């Protein structure tokens, strides 16, 4: 009986790896197992090699493993590509007859012959599900229910063919594969959600009261728009697919000015087009939430892969000086709750707020428990009833905390003047030097002072350890599991889910005690390490940087840490 293993479904783009992967994720989640799944896909519609990797465990999983225990290869090329990643006692499953494979160490399953019995090669995905289920010792009834759920929008005949082909794959394997190496110990099922980072951001936005989402589709941010669009009718949300990112950010600012909470999402290339709008938000003090789902750049880079190399860009995007906040969620739970907080902070301080994610977090699935009612959303505007009594309204009234009461057009009787030029309290253009000073103090100094009081504290693990790993965003899981695995070392981590304003005091209090500080980042420039030094004067002793477009896995990080310690002791 196994407590953990990794399954990989691999084949060409267009063979349905995501479909089979999602069915298996749902199936194992329903047995009470914990899931961490991620897809590796090339930027093409057909061909190449894609794979969907599922880590199944009876304890919570937060990251990937390097080796695969079960590989289901849906084409010949996948066998060659992935056989060197096979774990000890691992198994490759393939249709040897279909692909004329002569290797003996492959479990031969006639995927195509079974699928064709039910009318189409498309059913090989369900056959594969049946094979995996039998090897892992799960009752077929769970797969039957999962397939009904997965294909609920299809015809009865299609559902029945999928179930029948899966059953034949299940029965074939039960008869031919006699080992019990991968029988899994199931846990007690709980009411958990299976979702990825983009799902969590989208649902967080809906919970926060987002009523307008606009974007130009760009991987890996696009599915945020898809999820919000799916629920748009139920929650009275307007979705607009803009002609480009310039239009998208300005539409979002316009909607916010009109009184609704709004958001836009993109990747680095799209954000490059948005930066003038970011400045407009800062100058006009119009709240807006912007998601930057990072992928390797510059230019088109690796469109479907991951990196954390936009930190400097987001930190400095826009011209001039104005307050902003940048959240960098590391888990699906943080993606949900910090999105709600991002809307609250944006509206409270009337500023642009960024949520930085990346392809790894965006496309990674985990089983999670969320409590949508644990956070109360509050509007920071002059209410509709109160607006009727407002006279002589000044949009940019100078206040001690830098925040002017915000009225909504049409709710108050007067006219609201807003200008991207420097302006008076009334919103009229001015070049008066003294007013300029006071408006910069309002937009920059005073708002930053307020934001500093609401900074998300960094999360720590074993913070009194001699060696502290430092990371932000999607590296949370790999930091956590590396520390939990290295019991023989005094190892802890500090993870930042907000990088601006920088939580200096919380970071200093932990890092000043550490003997060795190692920053772990998915970029080449040690961008967080440099920000850490500029804000605290603390310089990491070493950096573990990965910038090949692939995410960290816990085995990779542990290997790098071992090498680091070997150098220090040699």
């Amino acid at each position: 009986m196994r407590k953990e293993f990794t399954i990989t479904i691999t084949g060409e783009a267009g063979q349905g790896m995501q479909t089979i992967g999602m069915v298996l994720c749902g199936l194992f989640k329903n047995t009470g197992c914990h899931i961490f799944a991620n897809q590796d896909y090339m930027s093409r519609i057909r061909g190449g090699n894609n794979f969907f990797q599922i880590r199944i465990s009876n304890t919570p999983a937060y990251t990937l493993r390097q080796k695969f225990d079960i590989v289901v290869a849906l084409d010949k090329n996948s066998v060659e590509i992935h056989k060197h990643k096979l774990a000890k006692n691992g198994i490759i499953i393939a249709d040897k007859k279909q692909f004329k494979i002569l290797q003996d160490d492959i479990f031969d399953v006639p995927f195509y012959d079974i699928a064709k019995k039910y009318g189409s090669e498309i059913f090989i995905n369900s056959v594969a599900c049946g094979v995996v289920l039998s090897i892992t010792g799960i009752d077929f009834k769970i797969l039957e229910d999962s397939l009904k759920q997965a294909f609920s929008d299809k015809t009865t005949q299609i559902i029945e063919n999928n179930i029948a082909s899966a059953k034949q794959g299940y029965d074939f394997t039960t008869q031919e594969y006699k080992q019990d190496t991968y029988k899994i110990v199931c846990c007690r099922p709980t009411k958990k959600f299976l979702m990825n980072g983009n799902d969590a951001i989208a649902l967080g936005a809906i919970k926060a009261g987002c009523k307008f989402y606009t974007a130009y589709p760009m991987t890996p941010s696009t599915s945020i728009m898809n999820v919000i669009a799916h629920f748009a009718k139920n929650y009275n949300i307007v979705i607009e697919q803009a002609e480009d990112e310039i239009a998208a950010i300005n539409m979002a600012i316009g909607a916010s000015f009109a009184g609704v909470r709004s958001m836009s999402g993109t990747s680095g290339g799209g954000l490059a087009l948005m930066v003038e709008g970011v400045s407009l938000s800062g100058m006009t003090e119009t709240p807006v939430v912007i998601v930057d789902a990072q992928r390797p750049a510059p230019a088109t880079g690796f469109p479907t892969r991951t990196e954390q190399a936009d930190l400097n860009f987001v930190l400095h995007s826009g011209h001039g000086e104005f307050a902003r906040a940048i959240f960098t969620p590391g888990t699906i739970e943080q993606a949900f709750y910090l999105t709600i907080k991002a809307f609250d902070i944006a509206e409270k301080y009337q500023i642009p707020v960024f949520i930085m994610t990346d392809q790894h977090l965006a496309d990674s699935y985990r089983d999670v428990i969320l409590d949508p009612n644990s956070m109360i959303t509050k509007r920071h505007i002059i209410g509709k009833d109160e607006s009727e009594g407002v006279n002589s309204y000044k949009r940019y009234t100078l206040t001690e905390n830098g925040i002017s009461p915000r009225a909504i057009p049409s709710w108050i009787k007067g006219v609201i003047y807003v200008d991207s030029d420097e302006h008076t309290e009334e919103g009229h253009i001015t070049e008066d030097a003294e007013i300029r000073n006071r408006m910069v103090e309002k937009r920059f100094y005073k708002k930053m002072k307020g934001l500093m009081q609401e900074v998300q504290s960094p999360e720590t693990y074993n913070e009194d350890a001699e060696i502290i790993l430092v990371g932000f965003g999607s590296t949370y899981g790999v930091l956590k599991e590396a520390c939990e695995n290295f019991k023989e070392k005094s190892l802890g981590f500090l993870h930042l889910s907000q990088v601006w304003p920088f939580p200096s005091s919380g970071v200093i209090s932990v890092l000043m005690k550490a003997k060795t500080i190692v920053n772990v980042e998915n970029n080449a420039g040690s961008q967080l390490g440099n920000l850490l030094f500029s804000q605290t004067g603390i310089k990491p002793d070493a950096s573990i940087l990965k910038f090949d477009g692939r995410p960290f896995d816990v085995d990779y990080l542990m290997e790098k840490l071992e090498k680091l310690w070997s150098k220090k002791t040699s």
Side-chain angles (χ1 to χ4, degrees):
M1 290 289 184
R2 294 286 290 254
K3 294 183 178 179
E4 176 187 324
F5 56 81
T6 294
I7 300 173
T8 294
I9 316 298
T10 176
E12 295 181 355
Q15 285 192 293
M17 269 70 69
Q18 186 177 15
T19 301
I20 182 174
M22 290 309 302
V23 169
L24 291 173
C25 283
L27 184 155
F28 283 107
K29 193 257 310 182
N30 291 339
T31 65
C33 292
H34 295 281
I35 304 294
F36 187 93
N38 184 262
Q39 51 183 327
D40 185 299
Y41 56 104
M42 302 178 75
S43 179
R44 59 176 67 181
I45 305 300
R46 291 276 177 187
N49 180 260
N50 292 358
F51 60 95
F52 195 102
Q53 185 178 353
I54 313 168
R55 184 179 170 202
I56 299 154
S57 174
N58 63 1
T59 56
Y62 292 89
T63 187
L64 301 169
R65 301 307 299 254
Q66 204 165 57
K67 295 290 186 180
F68 306 153
D69 297 291
I70 300 172
V71 175
V72 180
L74 299 182
D75 70 337
K76 186 174 184 177
N77 196 33
S78 293
V79 175
E80 293 301 314
I81 290 173
H82 295 288
K83 65 182 181 183
H84 71 283
K85 300 177 186 173
L86 205 60
K88 187 180 179 182
N89 299 322
I91 173 176
I92 296 180
I93 304 165
D95 190 331
K96 293 175 66 173
K97 175 187 169 188
Q98 176 71 18
F99 302 124
K100 298 181 175 59
I101 298 172
L102 301 177
Q103 286 176 245
D104 292 331
D105 57 348
I106 289 177
F107 178 50
D108 184 17
V109 176
F111 287 111
Y112 284 82
D113 285 349
I114 294 174
K116 286 173 185 173
K117 279 180 61 177
Y118 298 95
S120 172
E121 292 181 357
I122 198 171
F123 297 118
I124 61 171
N125 288 330
S126 293
V127 180
C129 286
V131 171
V132 170
L133 200 72
S134 174
I135 289 175
T136 53
I138 308 294
D139 188 89
F140 183 77
K141 181 68 171 60
I142 295 177
L143 175 57
E144 184 176 341
D145 294 340
S146 296
L147 289 172
K148 285 179 181 174
Q149 186 177 350
F151 298 108
S152 59
D153 59 340
K154 307 296 183 186
T155 65
T156 303
Q157 187 62 55
I158 290 175
I159 294 172
E160 289 178 353
N161 284 344
N162 274 286
I163 293 172
S165 53
K167 184 67 166 65
Q168 190 155 351
Y170 185 92
D171 291 343
F172 174 87
T173 306
T174 303
Q175 185 173 350
E176 300 294 329
Y177 189 82
K178 301 299 182 184
Q179 301 179 38
D180 60 0
T181 309
Y182 295 107
K183 304 292 186 197
I184 185 96
V185 179
C186 295
C187 307
R188 177 177 295 179
T190 56
K191 290 183 179 178
K192 296 179 290 187
F193 299 104
L194 184 66
M195 65 174 68
N196 63 27
N198 274 0
D199 293 338
I201 289 173
L203 295 176
I206 293 171
K207 171 60 184 172
C210 177
K211 295 299 178 189
F212 186 80
Y213 185 89
T214 178
Y216 180 79
M218 190 169 187
T219 304
S221 67
T222 307
S223 63
I224 297 172
M225 181 160 59
N226 296 341
V227 174
I228 295 178
H230 180 77
F231 294 104
K233 188 176 286 186
N234 292 342
Y235 293 93
N236 297 317
I237 303 170
V238 174
I239 302 289
E240 175 67 23
Q241 180 175 320
E243 64 267 35
D244 57 36
E245 287 83 355
I246 299 172
I249 186 69
N250 286 304
M251 284 181 185
I253 292 170
S256 180
F257 174 71
V260 299
R261 289 187 162 189
S262 65
M263 182 165 85
S264 186
T266 186
S267 181
L271 184 61
L273 296 177
M274 288 185 175
V275 292
E276 187 178 16
V278 172
S279 298
L280 179 65
S281 167
M283 183 56 147
T284 60
E285 302 185 47
T286 309
V288 66
V289 177
I290 304 158
V291 179
D292 176 33
Q294 300 167 93
R295 70 190 204 192
T300 308
F302 276 162
T304 60
R305 302 199 178 278
T306 198
E307 202 161 78
Q308 292 182 300
D310 288 354
L311 178 56
N312 289 340
F313 178 37
V314 173
L315 192 59
H316 301 289
S317 62
H319 46 287
E321 298 165 310
F322 53 91
R324 71 187 67 197
I326 305 173
F327 293 103
T328 51
T331 64
I332 289 164
E333 293 92 332
Q334 288 181 355
F336 177 76
Y337 294 119
L338 289 179
T339 299
I340 299 172
K341 184 171 181 178
F343 275 93
D344 189 61
I345 292 293
E347 193 166 75
K348 183 175 181 180
Y349 291 93
Q350 302 168 22
I351 57 171
V353 173
F354 293 89
I355 301 167
M356 291 185 69
T357 178
D358 55 38
Q359 183 272 331
H360 182 52
L361 180 61
D363 290 336
S364 291
Y365 287 87
R366 270 185 52 237
D367 53 296
V368 297
I369 296 175
L370 299 176
D371 181 4
N373 298 318
S374 64
M375 294 186 72
I376 299 172
T377 56
K378 179 184 175 185
R379 296 299 308 268
H380 302 279
I381 56 176
I382 302 172
K384 197 166 188 177
D385 293 339
E386 190 183 353
S387 293
E388 292 179 2
V390 173
N391 294 306
S392 303
Y393 178 70
K394 296 178 182 178
R395 173 66 187 91
Y396 300 109
T397 300
L398 293 166
T399 60
E400 190 172 340
N401 63 8
I403 301 170
S404 309
R406 180 168 163 243
I408 302 303
S410 82
W411 286 8
I412 64 170
K413 294 175 183 175
V415 177
I416 300 175
Y417 294 97
V418 173
D419 206 302
S420 63
D421 287 61
E422 191 54 271
H423 41 250
T424 62
E425 287 183 274
E426 292 80 4
H428 298 307
I429 293 174
T430 183
E431 295 195 21
D432 185 282
E434 179 55 26
I435 292 177
R436 166 69 178 178
N437 282 338
R438 298 186 72 182
M439 285 297 170
V440 172
E441 288 171 357
K442 165 184 167 58
R443 289 189 298 263
F444 190 42
Y445 292 141
K446 291 184 176 179
K447 289 190 180 182
M448 284 301 294
K449 185 178 179 182
L451 283 169
M452 288 297 295
Q453 310 306 312
E454 305 199 43
V455 168
Q456 190 79 12
S457 298
E459 184 169 333
T460 59
Y461 174 90
N462 196 16
E463 66 175 61
D464 295 323
E466 294 181 1
I467 305 162
I468 294 290
L469 309 179
V470 180
F472 74 113
S474 67
T475 56
Y476 175 92
V478 77
L479 297 177
K480 180 179 174 64
E481 292 207 20
C483 290
E484 290 174 348
N485 277 291
F486 264 124
K487 298 294 184 188
E488 69 276 17
K489 296 285 185 183
S490 179
L491 185 64
F493 76 77
L494 180 147
H495 177 269
L496 293 101
S497 58
Q498 181 173 355
V499 294
W500 198 258
F502 195 82
S504 299
S505 60
V507 170
I508 291 171
S509 68
V510 175
L511 296 188
M512 287 299 287
K513 297 180 289 184
K515 287 186 178 178
T516 303
I517 299 167
V518 182
N519 62 310
V520 180
E521 302 181 48
N522 253 141
N523 61 52
S526 185
Q527 295 185 23
L528 180 65
N530 294 334
L531 181 63
L532 170 67
F533 181 60
S534 71
Q535 297 301 307
T536 66
I538 298 173
K539 190 174 183 179
D541 299 286
S543 297
I544 297 177
L545 308 174
K546 195 171 192 294
F547 42 90
D548 58 2
R550 277 70 176 174
F552 282 97
D553 61 68
V554 63
D555 304 295
Y556 176 93
L557 180 56
M558 290 171 69
E559 285 175 13
K560 291 293 180 184
L561 289 168
E562 292 278 18
K563 287 181 181 176
L564 206 62
W565 291 321
S566 298
K567 282 184 182 177
K568 287 177 73 73
T569 55
S570 61

